[in-house]
Amino acid sequence: MVLIPFLYEVLLPKDHFSMINLAAPVGYGDPTFFAETLQSCYLPAGYTSDVFWTLLVAKYHGWPGGASSIAVIIVGICLFIVAYKYIKWRITASYLAATTVFSMIMYVVYGGDALLRLCFHLFVGSSIFLAFFMATDPATTPLTYSGQCIFGFGLGVLTVLMQTYMNFLGGSILALVIMNLTSPLLDRAGLQKPIEEKVEKKLPKGKQFETIKTTSCIRCGACMVVCCHNLSPILIKEAFDKGNSKVLKKLRADLCDGCGNCTFVCPARIDLRNFTLRAKASLRTAKN
Ligand code: SF4
Ligand code: SF4
């Protein structure tokens, strides 16, 4: 995947790389100008419309999620409102902010039409679908709030750079693959400082289940938000599973007092309290 842009001359159809050049002023004019080229790339032959209409409402091309940008935004916002507790909206917000800032920097450097350049970076290909749905995939994105903001920012910067200098309309997808590789590292960014005293956190209303079915962790980060000692129960569980007492010590598993908040909120129904207490006990044994 990482090599795809460098192989674009071989892998991509001609109309996707040979004409649109963003490392230059973008604007309107004759058929060789940016807007007209973009139209010819996206619309069926003989179909004409305003370039903004094409980018925002009627995209015709085969990138994943390359449907109408407006429809994607409406569905995305509705989903964020309904499931705001579990969706990592900070990634979307920082991605959109970084893309806007960096496309404006490119406008200052190369000139042309600022709005056209901005709309291109925000709405071309899968970009907007990626911002709302692919980039917020819980399994492949950071757990901490700071990690999520850095992730979204990096994604935006890489997207603009790839679209500008590699002539690769799918720059956002490649940028996402690269940023996904940084997730384990970003999980460590902005970890809350463990506190010795207990702070009662407000928990959502409980539900009674007759049988408890657990699933794999979906990396929502909820357990880290509710821990009354600001611990990272899921990272403690992972370190405990690997028998890594060095990391357990660093994550201060010894502070867990078994309140059970983490188990209570976990949508995957993982008994994090049990794992954390066992990790605490293992640290005690290691000391003796
Ligand atoms: S059981 Fe332990 S890790 Fe879980 S929320 Fe309570 S103190 Fe934190
Ligand atoms: S262990 Fe549960 S609460 Fe914690 S990140 Fe995974 S799914 Fe979310």
Short mmCIF file of all heavy atoms in Angstrom, two decimals, residues 86 88 138 143 215-226 232-235 237-238 261-272, ligand 2:
data_model
loop_
_atom_site.label_atom_id
_atom_site.label_comp_id
_atom_site.label_asym_id
_atom_site.label_seq_id
_atom_site.Cartn_x
_atom_site.Cartn_y
_atom_site.Cartn_z
N TYR A 86 -19.21 6.59 21.92
CA TYR A 86 -18.31 5.56 21.43
C TYR A 86 -17.58 5.94 20.16
O TYR A 86 -16.63 5.29 19.77
CB TYR A 86 -19.08 4.24 21.21
CG TYR A 86 -19.65 3.73 22.50
CD1 TYR A 86 -21.03 3.70 22.72
CD2 TYR A 86 -18.81 3.32 23.52
CE1 TYR A 86 -21.54 3.27 23.93
CE2 TYR A 86 -19.31 2.87 24.73
CZ TYR A 86 -20.68 2.85 24.92
OH TYR A 86 -21.17 2.43 26.12
N LYS A 88 -15.13 8.16 17.87
CA LYS A 88 -13.96 9.02 18.14
C LYS A 88 -14.03 10.27 17.28
O LYS A 88 -13.28 10.43 16.31
CB LYS A 88 -12.68 8.21 17.91
CG LYS A 88 -12.56 7.03 18.88
CD LYS A 88 -11.36 6.17 18.59
CE LYS A 88 -11.24 5.06 19.63
NZ LYS A 88 -10.18 4.09 19.32
N PRO A 138 -12.77 2.19 15.55
CA PRO A 138 -12.18 2.07 16.89
C PRO A 138 -11.02 1.08 16.96
O PRO A 138 -10.09 1.27 17.73
CB PRO A 138 -13.35 1.60 17.77
CG PRO A 138 -14.48 1.32 16.89
CD PRO A 138 -14.18 1.82 15.51
N LEU A 143 -6.36 5.11 21.62
CA LEU A 143 -7.33 5.06 22.72
C LEU A 143 -7.49 6.42 23.42
O LEU A 143 -8.56 6.76 23.89
CB LEU A 143 -6.86 4.04 23.77
CG LEU A 143 -6.95 2.56 23.39
CD1 LEU A 143 -6.05 1.74 24.29
CD2 LEU A 143 -8.38 2.08 23.50
N THR A 215 -16.92 -9.87 23.88
CA THR A 215 -16.36 -9.81 22.52
C THR A 215 -14.94 -9.25 22.64
O THR A 215 -14.50 -8.92 23.75
CB THR A 215 -17.18 -8.88 21.61
OG1 THR A 215 -17.17 -7.58 22.21
CG2 THR A 215 -18.60 -9.37 21.45
N SER A 216 -14.26 -9.11 21.52
CA SER A 216 -12.92 -8.51 21.57
C SER A 216 -13.06 -7.03 21.89
O SER A 216 -14.09 -6.43 21.61
CB SER A 216 -12.23 -8.65 20.23
OG SER A 216 -12.20 -9.98 19.84
N CYS A 217 -11.99 -6.48 22.45
CA CYS A 217 -11.97 -5.04 22.76
C CYS A 217 -12.19 -4.24 21.47
O CYS A 217 -11.56 -4.53 20.45
CB CYS A 217 -10.62 -4.68 23.36
SG CYS A 217 -10.33 -2.93 23.50
N ILE A 218 -13.09 -3.26 21.52
CA ILE A 218 -13.30 -2.43 20.32
C ILE A 218 -12.52 -1.11 20.40
O ILE A 218 -12.71 -0.22 19.60
CB ILE A 218 -14.80 -2.14 20.09
CG1 ILE A 218 -15.39 -1.37 21.28
CG2 ILE A 218 -15.57 -3.41 19.83
CD1 ILE A 218 -16.71 -0.72 20.97
N ARG A 219 -11.65 -1.00 21.40
CA ARG A 219 -10.77 0.16 21.57
C ARG A 219 -11.53 1.49 21.65
O ARG A 219 -11.12 2.48 21.08
CB ARG A 219 -9.74 0.20 20.43
CG ARG A 219 -8.81 -0.99 20.45
CD ARG A 219 -7.86 -0.99 19.29
NE ARG A 219 -7.05 0.22 19.24
CZ ARG A 219 -5.95 0.40 19.94
NH1 ARG A 219 -5.53 -0.52 20.76
NH2 ARG A 219 -5.28 1.52 19.84
N CYS A 220 -12.65 1.46 22.38
CA CYS A 220 -13.42 2.70 22.52
C CYS A 220 -12.78 3.65 23.53
O CYS A 220 -13.00 4.84 23.50
CB CYS A 220 -14.85 2.39 22.94
SG CYS A 220 -14.92 1.66 24.58
N GLY A 221 -11.99 3.11 24.46
CA GLY A 221 -11.32 3.94 25.46
C GLY A 221 -12.17 4.27 26.67
O GLY A 221 -11.72 5.00 27.57
N ALA A 222 -13.40 3.75 26.76
CA ALA A 222 -14.31 4.10 27.86
C ALA A 222 -13.73 3.70 29.22
O ALA A 222 -13.88 4.42 30.21
CB ALA A 222 -15.66 3.44 27.64
N CYS A 223 -13.06 2.53 29.28
CA CYS A 223 -12.53 2.07 30.56
C CYS A 223 -11.50 3.04 31.12
O CYS A 223 -11.36 3.21 32.34
CB CYS A 223 -11.93 0.68 30.41
SG CYS A 223 -10.72 0.55 29.10
N MET A 224 -10.77 3.72 30.22
CA MET A 224 -9.73 4.65 30.68
C MET A 224 -10.33 5.95 31.20
O MET A 224 -9.74 6.64 32.02
CB MET A 224 -8.77 4.94 29.52
CG MET A 224 -8.07 3.68 29.07
SD MET A 224 -7.26 3.79 27.49
CE MET A 224 -5.88 4.83 27.83
N VAL A 225 -11.51 6.27 30.70
CA VAL A 225 -12.15 7.53 31.10
C VAL A 225 -12.77 7.40 32.50
O VAL A 225 -12.77 8.35 33.27
CB VAL A 225 -13.23 7.93 30.07
CG1 VAL A 225 -13.98 9.16 30.50
CG2 VAL A 225 -12.60 8.15 28.71
N VAL A 226 -13.29 6.20 32.82
CA VAL A 226 -14.04 6.08 34.08
C VAL A 226 -13.22 5.61 35.27
O VAL A 226 -13.71 5.60 36.40
CB VAL A 226 -15.26 5.14 33.93
CG1 VAL A 226 -16.25 5.67 32.92
CG2 VAL A 226 -14.82 3.73 33.55
N SER A 232 -5.20 2.77 33.09
CA SER A 232 -5.55 2.38 31.71
C SER A 232 -5.85 0.89 31.70
O SER A 232 -5.00 0.08 31.29
CB SER A 232 -4.40 2.69 30.75
OG SER A 232 -4.00 4.03 30.93
N PRO A 233 -7.05 0.48 32.15
CA PRO A 233 -7.34 -0.95 32.33
C PRO A 233 -7.06 -1.83 31.11
O PRO A 233 -6.53 -2.92 31.25
CB PRO A 233 -8.83 -0.96 32.68
CG PRO A 233 -9.10 0.38 33.22
CD PRO A 233 -8.18 1.33 32.54
N ILE A 234 -7.38 -1.35 29.91
CA ILE A 234 -7.17 -2.20 28.74
C ILE A 234 -5.67 -2.39 28.46
O ILE A 234 -5.24 -3.48 28.07
CB ILE A 234 -7.91 -1.66 27.48
CG1 ILE A 234 -7.72 -2.59 26.29
CG2 ILE A 234 -7.50 -0.25 27.13
CD1 ILE A 234 -8.17 -4.01 26.48
N LEU A 235 -4.88 -1.33 28.70
CA LEU A 235 -3.43 -1.49 28.48
C LEU A 235 -2.84 -2.39 29.56
O LEU A 235 -1.92 -3.17 29.31
CB LEU A 235 -2.75 -0.11 28.49
CG LEU A 235 -3.17 0.84 27.36
CD1 LEU A 235 -2.39 2.15 27.45
CD2 LEU A 235 -2.94 0.20 26.00
N LYS A 237 -4.49 -4.85 30.98
CA LYS A 237 -4.87 -6.22 30.58
C LYS A 237 -3.91 -6.76 29.51
O LYS A 237 -3.44 -7.89 29.58
CB LYS A 237 -6.32 -6.24 30.06
CG LYS A 237 -6.75 -7.60 29.58
CD LYS A 237 -8.10 -7.57 28.90
CE LYS A 237 -8.51 -8.92 28.36
NZ LYS A 237 -7.63 -9.51 27.37
N GLU A 238 -3.61 -5.90 28.52
CA GLU A 238 -2.72 -6.35 27.44
C GLU A 238 -1.33 -6.71 27.99
O GLU A 238 -0.75 -7.72 27.63
CB GLU A 238 -2.59 -5.25 26.37
CG GLU A 238 -3.81 -5.17 25.47
CD GLU A 238 -3.83 -3.94 24.56
OE1 GLU A 238 -2.83 -3.19 24.52
OE2 GLU A 238 -4.86 -3.75 23.89
N ASN A 261 -15.54 0.02 37.94
CA ASN A 261 -16.07 0.98 36.95
C ASN A 261 -15.74 0.55 35.52
O ASN A 261 -16.57 0.65 34.61
CB ASN A 261 -15.46 2.37 37.18
CG ASN A 261 -16.06 3.06 38.36
OD1 ASN A 261 -16.93 2.49 39.03
ND2 ASN A 261 -15.61 4.26 38.66
N CYS A 262 -14.50 0.08 35.33
CA CYS A 262 -14.05 -0.26 33.97
C CYS A 262 -14.89 -1.42 33.41
O CYS A 262 -15.33 -1.37 32.26
CB CYS A 262 -12.58 -0.60 33.97
SG CYS A 262 -12.10 -1.73 35.26
N THR A 263 -15.11 -2.44 34.22
CA THR A 263 -15.91 -3.58 33.77
C THR A 263 -17.34 -3.13 33.48
O THR A 263 -17.95 -3.56 32.51
CB THR A 263 -15.93 -4.67 34.86
OG1 THR A 263 -14.58 -5.04 35.12
CG2 THR A 263 -16.71 -5.90 34.44
N PHE A 264 -17.84 -2.23 34.32
CA PHE A 264 -19.22 -1.77 34.21
C PHE A 264 -19.49 -1.08 32.87
O PHE A 264 -20.54 -1.28 32.26
CB PHE A 264 -19.51 -0.82 35.37
CG PHE A 264 -20.92 -0.34 35.43
CD1 PHE A 264 -21.93 -1.15 35.93
CD2 PHE A 264 -21.26 0.92 34.97
CE1 PHE A 264 -23.24 -0.71 35.97
CE2 PHE A 264 -22.57 1.38 35.01
CZ PHE A 264 -23.56 0.55 35.51
N VAL A 265 -18.52 -0.28 32.40
CA VAL A 265 -18.79 0.50 31.17
C VAL A 265 -18.35 -0.20 29.89
O VAL A 265 -18.71 0.23 28.80
CB VAL A 265 -18.11 1.89 31.19
CG1 VAL A 265 -18.67 2.75 32.29
CG2 VAL A 265 -16.61 1.76 31.29
N CYS A 266 -17.56 -1.27 30.03
CA CYS A 266 -16.97 -1.86 28.82
C CYS A 266 -18.05 -2.43 27.89
O CYS A 266 -18.75 -3.37 28.25
CB CYS A 266 -15.99 -2.95 29.21
SG CYS A 266 -15.31 -3.78 27.76
N PRO A 267 -18.18 -1.90 26.66
CA PRO A 267 -19.20 -2.42 25.74
C PRO A 267 -18.88 -3.84 25.26
O PRO A 267 -19.77 -4.55 24.81
CB PRO A 267 -19.19 -1.43 24.58
CG PRO A 267 -17.90 -0.72 24.67
CD PRO A 267 -17.44 -0.76 26.09
N ALA A 268 -17.60 -4.24 25.38
CA ALA A 268 -17.23 -5.60 24.99
C ALA A 268 -17.44 -6.57 26.15
O ALA A 268 -17.19 -7.76 26.01
CB ALA A 268 -15.78 -5.63 24.53
N ARG A 269 -17.90 -6.03 27.31
CA ARG A 269 -18.16 -6.82 28.53
C ARG A 269 -16.93 -7.62 28.98
O ARG A 269 -17.05 -8.76 29.44
CB ARG A 269 -19.33 -7.78 28.32
CG ARG A 269 -20.48 -7.17 27.58
CD ARG A 269 -21.75 -7.16 28.36
NE ARG A 269 -22.71 -6.37 27.62
CZ ARG A 269 -23.44 -6.85 26.60
NH1 ARG A 269 -23.35 -8.11 26.25
NH2 ARG A 269 -24.28 -6.07 25.97
N ILE A 270 -15.77 -7.03 28.85
CA ILE A 270 -14.55 -7.69 29.34
C ILE A 270 -14.43 -7.41 30.83
O ILE A 270 -14.64 -6.28 31.28
CB ILE A 270 -13.31 -7.13 28.59
CG1 ILE A 270 -13.44 -7.41 27.09
CG2 ILE A 270 -12.02 -7.74 29.14
CD1 ILE A 270 -12.42 -6.68 26.24
N ASP A 271 -14.10 -8.44 31.59
CA ASP A 271 -13.99 -8.25 33.04
C ASP A 271 -12.63 -7.62 33.36
O ASP A 271 -11.71 -8.27 33.86
CB ASP A 271 -14.16 -9.60 33.75
CG ASP A 271 -14.34 -9.42 35.24
OD1 ASP A 271 -14.22 -8.27 35.71
OD2 ASP A 271 -14.58 -10.41 35.94
N LEU A 272 -12.53 -6.33 33.09
CA LEU A 272 -11.25 -5.62 33.25
C LEU A 272 -10.83 -5.55 34.71
O LEU A 272 -9.64 -5.60 35.04
CB LEU A 272 -11.39 -4.21 32.67
CG LEU A 272 -11.59 -4.18 31.16
CD1 LEU A 272 -12.25 -2.90 30.73
CD2 LEU A 272 -10.27 -4.35 30.44
S1 SF4 B 2 -11.63 -2.86 27.23
FE1 SF4 B 2 -13.79 -2.33 26.87
S2 SF4 B 2 -14.01 -0.19 27.59
FE2 SF4 B 2 -11.80 -0.60 27.38
S3 SF4 B 2 -11.29 0.12 25.32
FE3 SF4 B 2 -11.78 -2.08 25.13
S4 SF4 B 2 -13.96 -2.17 24.65
FE4 SF4 B 2 -13.56 -0.10 25.40
#
